[in-house]
Amino acid sequence: MKSNEPHAYLVGGGIGSLAAAAFMIRDGNFAGSNISVFEALPVMGGSLDGSGDAARGYSMRGGRMLTTDNYECTWDLYRTIPSLHQKGKSVFDETVEFNEKHKAHSMARLVDRHRAKVPVRSMGFSMQDRIELLKLSESDELKLGGSRITDWLSPAFFETEFWYMWATTFAFQPWHSAAEFRRYLHRFMLEFTRIETLAGVKRTIYNQYDSLVLPLQTWLKTQGVNFVNDCTVTDFDHKTEDGKFIVTSIHCLRKGKSEVITVFAEDYVFMQNASMTDASSLGSMTSAPKKLSKRDSGGWTLWEKLAAIQPTFGNPAAFNASISQSCWESFTVTLKSPAFFNRMTQFTGNEPGIGGLVTFKDSNWLMSIVLAFQPHFANQPADVQVFWGYSLFPDRVGDFVPKPMDECNGAEILRELCGHLRFDLDTVDTANCIPCRMPYITSMFMPRVPGDRPLPVPIEARNFAFISQFVEIPVDVVFTVEYSVRAAQIAVYNLLRIDRAIPPVTPHDKSLKTQFEAILKAFK
Ligand SMILES: Cc1cc2nc3c(=O)[nH]c(=O)nc-3n(C[C@H](O)[C@H](O)[C@H](O)COP(=O)(O)OP(=O)(O)OC[C@H]3O[C@@H](n4cnc5c(N)ncnc54)[C@H](O)[C@@H]3O)c2cc1C
């Protein structure tokens, strides 16, 4: 029997939901034991995954770059989440200290087909590029509508050093949304001036599962939050009162068994509508990842059902209808000999953790790798090294392997990588390379028009909100941890009527035009 105290049900266990639970408890005086998180996968954290060990090999779908000049809501949250490793410190404190010690300064950001480090002090802009970029950055979103970056910038722009650095730092493709690209130019204005060294980038101590998800989940557990894994929410029952959409029950499949949870008048439901890592699949040293889609995962079904009922709940088809435009592949490599790291340090001039992304700009797959500070996993032995890489064009045939990346196993990906580096294959003879295909990884960047993304709390919703990368938050940018945390804070503060200011997006783009003009001039 349920008490009259409100309960909150969070559908999806990504950082967005975990942040929402924390905001409810910290800022809304909500009882942690009245919060349940339902996650389809066996672990919490969603896209911020990281797992494995030295014997089986480590794997993570992504490696994140953060900043302290942006990420206002993320640090607002993590300022009050205790570190797992340093007593008396918060996750924010330990991350800032770590970055003070290990300042990012890339010395080999771009490498060309001759294995030469490309001088990147110049952005490579022509006058036409500059004029077009200014025009795009000053257009408003109504004008940009559902246009693509290629509708605004000429082909030569996509050959500039700037594009190679910007595109591979943030994973943009020429066919992606011009409106989102414009938002990035404004939001990450400061990065524009230091993109060649990645000096603004802040890293977590370990991978983001160990450094962001685990401390948050641990704190939530101490507050009594109820975590339910292997539980897919399949449907909601709802009623409409005074034009308001009210969820009345939740249908789920928990370890294969159907369950129905009644949602009472005083309760709240938060839903993560879809995931950029939906339908992702892992390969191995001997097999390529399976080519899955939303049909295999069912990960978009709930949002599709809701959007069909209520037009203001968005349009998932704008984002999930073209895998060939939203897919790329990453890989995680576990090594048991320092040979590869030593050679990379020699080649780049950067110690692991300092250089960040190294992009092989002429590679057919457009491949990049990152050697993070070691150890990168909390359980990683001292004699093991782990690095991560990714390619934006997995459907193209390689330069050293005559196959598209998405048909390659881990051994073939290493062969391609060593080809670009001109390293002998024996530098990776202890390596275990685990590829990961992500068919919807840039689905949030697909061209969209107003209305394709629901508001975190749609006007018609009474006890219901969306928290994800597929909601509309003015000014902020997707493909960031910050966007999900900001969506969570907006959703929770709105539904629970919390009277505390949400940290605003920092206006680094004040007097944008003047700054842009000065920067463009400086980087002739
Ligand atoms: C390769 C890669 C690189 C990245 N690089 C960066 C970076 O450099 N900087 C940065 O800030 N961010 C980066 N990101 C983005 C960042 O990781 C994500 O934006 C963020 O983790 C998304 O969190 P989320 O909670 O919104 O969604 P997710 O983490 O996708 O979580 C959603 C969860 O909901 C679950 N779910 C959905 N529907 C249901 C249902 N019906 N029932 C039960 N469960 C359900 C899913 O299984 C999933 O676990 C990167 C991500 C990846 C994958």
Side-chain angles (χ1 to χ4, degrees), residues 463-489:
N463 66 346
F464 174 67
F466 292 105
I467 297 173
S468 75
Q469 295 285 308
F470 302 92
V471 294
E472 180 57 46
I473 305 176
V475 187
D476 210 349
V477 295
V478 290
F479 214 151
T480 59
V481 170
E482 174 68 9
Y483 204 78
S484 302
V485 177
R486 184 173 291 279
Q489 204 163 9

Side-chain angles (χ1 to χ4, degrees), residues 11-16 38-41 45-48 61-66 71 231-233 272 275-277 302 328 388 438 441 468-469 479-481 484:
V11 179
I15 189 74
F38 304 117
E39 168 56 53
L41 300 174
S47 301
L48 293 184
R61 287 181 286 209
R64 272 114 210 137
M65 291 172 278
L66 312 172
Y71 289 76
C231 180
T232 301
V233 172
Q272 299 220 266
S275 165
M276 63 175 70
T277 48
L302 185 57
W328 47 258
W388 179 84
M438 296 175 284
I441 183 66
S468 75
Q469 295 285 308
F479 214 151
T480 59
V481 170
S484 302

Side-chain angles (χ1 to χ4, degrees), residues 113 360 362-366 396-403 416 419-420:
R113 64 169 57 82
F360 305 101
D362 299 322
S363 59
N364 281 347
W365 296 351
L366 194 48
R396 292 187 184 166
V397 170
D399 299 278
F400 298 90
V401 176
K403 271 186 186 183
E416 177 76 14
H420 290 291

Side-chain angles (χ1 to χ4, degrees), residues 152-417:
W152 293 82
L153 300 168
S154 305
F157 176 83
F158 301 96
E159 294 303 322
T160 60
E161 278 77 24
F162 170 78
W163 173 254
Y164 280 110
M165 291 188 281
W166 195 268
T168 54
T169 302
F170 299 118
F172 270 104
Q173 301 276 20
W175 52 80
H176 283 152
S177 159
E180 190 62 27
F181 182 66
R182 174 190 175 275
R183 282 196 189 195
Y184 260 76
L185 293 174
H186 286 248
R187 182 75 158 121
F188 289 124
M189 167 65 68
L190 292 180
E191 302 331 302
F192 204 93
T193 60
R194 54 198 184 194
I195 191 82
E196 77 281 15
T197 58
L198 296 168
V201 169
K202 302 287 183 286
R203 302 259 175 202
T204 54
I205 299 175
Y206 299 119
N207 67 83
Q208 291 74 54
Y209 181 78
D210 284 338
S211 287
L212 295 180
V213 173
L214 268 188
L216 182 52
Q217 196 185 349
T218 304
W219 183 78
L220 293 172
K221 274 186 185 158
T222 64
Q223 303 296 314
V225 172
N226 182 22
F227 291 102
V228 187
N229 283 103
D230 297 307
C231 180
T232 301
V233 172
T234 53
D235 212 348
F236 296 137
D237 292 324
H238 77 281
K239 62 181 179 185
T240 309
E241 267 178 24
D242 304 329
K244 294 283 184 188
F245 181 95
I246 304 168
V247 179
T248 53
S249 62
I250 297 171
H251 293 252
C252 55
L253 263 183
R254 188 170 175 173
K255 295 199 163 64
K257 278 198 181 151
S258 301
E259 281 183 23
V260 182
I261 298 150
T262 305
V263 177
F264 292 94
E266 64 278 10
D267 297 342
Y268 303 99
V269 177
F270 298 88
M271 170 188 165
Q272 299 220 266
N273 48 317
S275 165
M276 63 175 70
T277 48
D278 181 55
S280 59
S281 54
L282 297 181
S284 71
M285 278 297 274
T286 52
S287 62
K290 277 199 182 124
K291 290 187 179 167
L292 305 180
S293 76
K294 68 187 178 107
R295 258 180 256 122
D296 304 287
S297 67
W300 296 76
T301 314
L302 185 57
W303 184 20
E304 286 169 342
K305 274 185 195 172
L306 291 171
I309 301 171
Q310 178 57 261
T312 57
F313 287 178
N315 172 25
F319 306 101
N320 68 18
S322 179
I323 288 178
S324 60
Q325 294 182 67
S326 66
C327 180
W328 47 258
E329 233 182 89
S330 67
F331 53 97
T332 312
V333 183
T334 306
L335 297 148
K336 293 182 180 162
S337 142
F340 184 85
F341 269 60
N342 289 345
R343 293 210 56 188
M344 275 300 288
T345 303
Q346 217 177 18
F347 169 59
T348 59
N350 280 132
E351 292 295 326
I354 304 298
L357 278 178
V358 177
T359 294
F360 305 101
K361 73 175 267 291
D362 299 322
S363 59
N364 281 347
W365 296 351
L366 194 48
M367 184 187 243
S368 303
I369 59 169
V370 187
L371 271 56
F373 185 81
Q374 302 293 301
H376 197 45
F377 283 79
N379 69 346
Q380 185 181 323
D383 57 350
V384 167
Q385 306 82 36
V386 179
F387 73 93
W388 179 84
Y390 86 102
S391 296
L392 279 177
F393 298 119
D395 52 351
R396 292 187 184 166
V397 170
D399 299 278
F400 298 90
V401 176
K403 271 186 186 183
M405 184 190 194
D406 60 13
E407 289 174 18
C408 286
N409 60 32
E412 290 162 330
I413 291 171
L414 288 174
R415 188 157 13 115
E416 177 76 14
L417 172 62

